[in-house]
Amino acid sequence: MAPGHVAYGMRASFGTSHVGPEHVIAWERGTHVPDAAEFTALAGALWCQPSELMGHPRTLLEHRIARGVSAEDVARATGLTLDAYLAMEESGQWAGDKRQSVHLGEVLSLPPRDFIAITRLEDELARLLTEAVSTRWQAHIRDIAKLVSMERRDLKGPLSAMHQEYQGLMAATLSRAGGTTASGEDGRRFIENIVDQFWTRLPGSSRA
């Protein structure tokens, strides 16, 4: 399809009357970026899903477009006014409460990793994971499962493995340091990257 064909398809079927071949050419060259309505129309004109035209969605807006959900539907599902939701989308900062966050995850079909990132719960997840590997992971599995909306049985293997690895680093540090606390570089790196380590141990949660 030539740029003119794409632009015509967008105008004829999706109401983007302002789009001409020059718009399509600019998008192809990367000198301009289509807005949300143009992007959705572009996907329709190319007979594909919006998600097929983008990499892994990261922002609230990108996730909504990738799922083909309207802002009105997200606002309705989360119990927000449309203006309040659009303000969050524009700022890129989700500010809903826990109940609204759950509904957001449902309406956008967010995988656990994306749900935690969008709802800004990574610090809370890091805290729980740190406590789990530092003490008894079994005592924290319920809170972690609830936070990431997963079954506890799916977290037993990853949490047990992370606990064993961290405790091994602690033991090695104690042995090398002659009885000091586990403050070695390996232990610090483990804790600093604990959220990423958690995701990479979950089947299907890693990003391309």
Side-chain angles (χ1 to χ4, degrees), residues 3-13 19:
H5 296 143
V6 177
Y8 174 80
M10 293 175 65
R11 293 195 305 271
S13 300
V19 172

Side-chain angles (χ1 to χ4, degrees), residues 135-203:
T135 56
R136 292 181 65 254
W137 62 266
Q138 296 91 337
H140 302 282
I141 189 171
R142 179 178 179 180
D143 289 338
I144 294 172
K146 184 177 180 180
L147 187 68
V148 300
S149 299
M150 293 182 64
E151 296 292 335
R152 277 180 273 182
R153 63 174 179 270
D154 296 327
L155 297 177
K156 289 182 179 179
L159 291 181
S160 176
M162 291 176 68
H163 181 270
Q164 291 179 15
E165 183 175 343
Y166 183 68
Q167 293 298 319
L169 292 173
M170 288 181 69
T173 301
L174 288 169
S175 175
R176 291 195 302 267
T180 62
T181 57
S183 58
E185 189 62 27
D186 290 342
R188 284 197 297 270
R189 280 200 300 265
F190 188 95
I191 295 300
E192 288 172 358
N193 300 315
I194 197 166
V195 172
D196 284 338
Q197 293 201 47
F198 174 69
W199 294 128
T200 58
R201 293 171 191 264
L202 295 180

Side-chain angles (χ1 to χ4, degrees), residues 13 114-116 147 192 207:
S13 300
D114 292 321
F115 173 76
I116 292 297
L147 187 68
E192 288 172 358
R207 294 174 181 166

Side-chain angles (χ1 to χ4, degrees), residues 77-90:
T78 55
L80 293 165
T81 66
L82 179 59
D83 287 343
Y85 171 72
L86 288 175
M88 295 181 197
E89 197 172 85
E90 184 176 352

